[in-house]
Amino acid sequence: MSSIIYVIGMGPGACNLLTQQALTCIKACDVLLGSTRLIESIASLDTLEAEKITCKLSEMEELIQGYETQTIHTRIGILASGDTGFYSVANWVKKQFQDTFEIEYITGISSLQYFCNKIQKPYNAVKTISVHGREDTVLGEVLSHEEVFVLTGGTYKVQSICQMLNHQGLGELDVYIGENLSYPEERILVGKAKDFAADSFEDLAVILIQNQAVAECKVMGVTHGIADACFIRGKVPMTKEEVRTVCVAKMALVNTDIVYDIGAGTGSVAVEIARICKKGYVYALEKNEEAVALIKANKEKFGIYNMEILQTKCPEGMQGLPVPNKVFIGGSSGQLDSIAEIVLGKNPMAIMVVTAITLETLTETLNCAKRYDLEMTYTQISVANSKTVGSYHMMMGQNPIFIVTMKGKQL
């Protein structure tokens, strides 16, 4: 190998925060590649003889490949924001060039280290994520961790996160915001998420979100099978505790699932699912106005934030929703075929769990599964609970119910 690549952690950006090792390496390099911001940050360094090339990541590969065939030994420095091990270009460099170049990594101060030192908070238990050029996963992490640190940028900025939190009912969460860290125009802000939803922040910003309710959930625990008496109820039918437990189990939920609850009733199933799929999202679809009010009340009672309630008929209300992984159908109003058609059109492998009390609904479900050539399993449940009558205990039976699980066949 004729040349060597140094991936140099530049810290938050200010030149005075470079480690001595990074500074020595920068001065020893023949060529330095990096973003405009990072190249400009070293412009004032003395005895810097390296060729400095401002480039995007998409341009960097071709530039580096130009040194592969050279016979002279070239020391290439790639300037990486923050630390090389914290959402860095380092992984990309390793993947692209480990077979053709010797690579050395020079650590730097991460924005997490710098920011938490500024606000005097330990960061050993902080969940860290980046939404710069990545899919938004903030809500799920906030619902799963007491403290979440987010690197923002691109189209998803600090205000976007605050707007999302406020929209989901989490506007009262405490947030710490750092903008242009280490630069003269640095800003450190503290407040509630709702306070910053209308503000504007630069790409170069971070946010630390605190959700104390997560600590309380750890004490309470999360399991499906919430007692019926815990739900706010009216005259709207509700999927009972024992049946609900089996239905949720049949869905084989994953933490990140997108789930539809069609004919959501009081919201008991939707609440159970949302508590399990904290990094996913639940869409509770219900046409009855009284039922929608009950779902909203139960959503608030159980502190559910990863759920949207839609007062709509199905299948019409499903059209614009994201692709589902799982679907629970507690009531289809005779539209099961149309509902299944839309679900399978979005995701042919979605798991659908249907409950049927009447033989007519069961027949409709079986015909639907055959029509779409779905894998089917059938379960019948008969539940009896004890009731105290004087000094005696009697078993009171509920209506038997059929649970049908349907999914597309593997190719």
Side-chain angles (χ1 to χ4, degrees):
M1 298 183 186
S2 60
S3 298
I4 181 170
I5 294 175
Y6 295 99
V7 184
I8 306 168
M10 297 291 289
C15 200
N16 64 338
L17 290 175
L18 285 170
T19 65
Q20 187 60 50
Q21 184 187 24
L23 187 59
T24 301
C25 186
I26 288 170
K27 291 182 177 182
C29 282
D30 301 304
V31 61
L32 295 167
L33 308 176
S35 66
T36 300
R37 176 177 70 87
L38 296 177
I39 291 292
E40 288 178 350
S41 71
I42 59 173
S44 62
L45 289 178
D46 295 330
T47 65
L48 187 59
E49 299 178 356
E51 179 185 6
K52 298 183 288 294
I53 302 176
T54 298
C55 59
K56 298 177 181 177
L57 187 63
S58 57
E59 303 166 327
M60 196 174 289
E61 182 174 1
E62 185 177 351
L63 288 169
I64 295 173
Q65 286 174 342
Y67 296 100
E68 286 184 30
T69 56
Q70 289 188 5
T71 56
I72 60 171
H73 182 79
T74 305
R75 292 161 295 190
I76 306 164
I78 297 178
L79 306 185
S81 180
D83 178 45
T84 56
F86 191 69
Y87 297 105
S88 166
V89 70
N91 284 338
W92 176 83
V93 174
K94 182 178 181 180
K95 181 179 178 181
Q96 297 296 121
F97 301 109
Q98 63 180 346
D99 295 330
T100 51
F101 286 89
E102 181 183 348
I103 304 173
E104 187 172 333
Y105 303 93
I106 311 298
T107 191
I109 297 172
S110 71
S111 55
L112 174 65
Q113 291 172 290
Y114 179 90
F115 183 59
C116 286
N117 178 67
K118 277 283 186 177
I119 62 176
Q120 287 297 286
K121 282 191 170 293
Y123 53 89
N124 52 290
V126 171
K127 171 65 178 180
T128 62
I129 59 174
S130 172
V131 294
H132 186 82
R134 295 174 174 85
E135 183 181 353
D136 171 26
T137 58
V138 176
L139 178 62
E141 300 298 350
V142 169
L143 295 178
S144 304
H145 299 90
E146 293 176 52
E147 293 183 312
V148 177
F149 175 85
V150 188
L151 286 167
T152 71
T155 58
Y156 204 72
K157 297 181 172 63
V158 166
Q159 64 265 30
S160 308
I161 294 171
C162 292
Q163 289 162 9
M164 178 275 295
L165 292 173
N166 197 41
H167 175 74
Q168 297 296 147
L170 294 166
E172 292 294 332
L173 292 187
D174 292 325
V175 297
Y176 299 79
I177 298 168
E179 184 182 49
N180 296 315
L181 296 178
S182 81
Y183 290 101
E185 61 272 29
E186 174 182 281
R187 286 201 300 167
I188 305 290
L189 303 170
V190 181
K192 304 293 184 182
K194 65 180 183 180
D195 299 335
F196 304 108
D199 288 354
S200 180
F201 294 90
E202 300 285 345
D203 275 1
L204 202 60
V206 300
I207 180 171
L208 179 70
I209 306 159
Q210 291 191 313
N211 185 4
Q212 189 57 38
V214 174
E216 297 169 7
C217 287
K218 288 179 180 177
V219 175
M220 293 170 56
V222 176
T223 181
H224 58 283
I226 299 172
D228 290 342
C230 293
F231 289 96
I232 300 169
R233 300 176 62 182
K235 297 179 180 179
V236 177
M238 183 177 80
T239 304
K240 300 297 192 299
E241 175 184 344
E242 294 82 7
V243 175
R244 190 184 333 120
T245 299
V246 175
C247 288
V248 171
K250 291 287 186 181
M251 297 178 78
L253 294 168
V254 176
N255 195 16
T256 55
D257 275 342
I258 302 298
V259 186
Y260 299 172
D261 180 359
I262 297 174
T266 60
S268 63
V269 175
V271 165
E272 296 263 24
I273 294 169
R275 280 163 53 90
I276 296 169
C277 301
K278 286 190 174 181
K279 295 183 181 180
Y281 207 82
V282 180
Y283 293 89
L285 296 91
E286 173 60 55
K287 65 180 182 179
N288 182 277
E289 187 174 352
E290 180 186 355
V292 168
L294 287 172
I295 299 169
K296 290 178 179 177
N298 282 311
K299 176 184 176 184
E300 181 176 352
K301 177 178 180 179
F302 287 93
I304 303 299
Y305 300 100
N306 55 331
M307 179 200 298
E308 184 173 343
I309 303 167
L310 302 170
Q311 184 172 351
T312 181
K313 293 181 179 180
C314 289
E316 294 88 343
M318 303 162 55
Q319 296 286 0
L321 298 183
V323 175
N325 306 105
K326 313 290 165 60
V327 178
F328 176 72
I329 304 173
S332 65
S333 299
Q335 298 297 315
L336 184 59
D337 272 1
S338 299
I339 290 169
E341 182 179 3
I342 290 179
V343 169
L344 296 170
K346 289 173 179 281
N347 180 4
M349 297 307 298
I351 294 176
M352 293 179 282
V353 173
V354 184
T355 55
I357 295 177
T358 68
L359 294 177
E360 287 76 12
T361 303
L362 177 62
T363 301
E364 181 188 9
T365 305
L366 301 184
N367 288 338
C368 176
K370 290 178 182 177
R371 183 172 293 108
Y372 292 105
D373 193 27
L374 303 175
E375 291 183 3
M376 301 174 284
T377 59
Y378 318 102
T379 303
Q380 184 188 47
I381 294 181
S382 297
V383 177
N385 290 314
S386 63
K387 179 180 179 181
T388 303
V389 181
S391 59
Y392 294 92
H393 293 82
M394 296 178 60
M395 299 304 294
M396 306 295 291
Q398 299 177 15
N399 290 327
I401 190 166
F402 295 94
I403 300 173
V404 183
T405 305
M406 307 184 294
K407 64 179 180 178
K409 294 180 179 179
Q410 295 282 358
L411 297 179

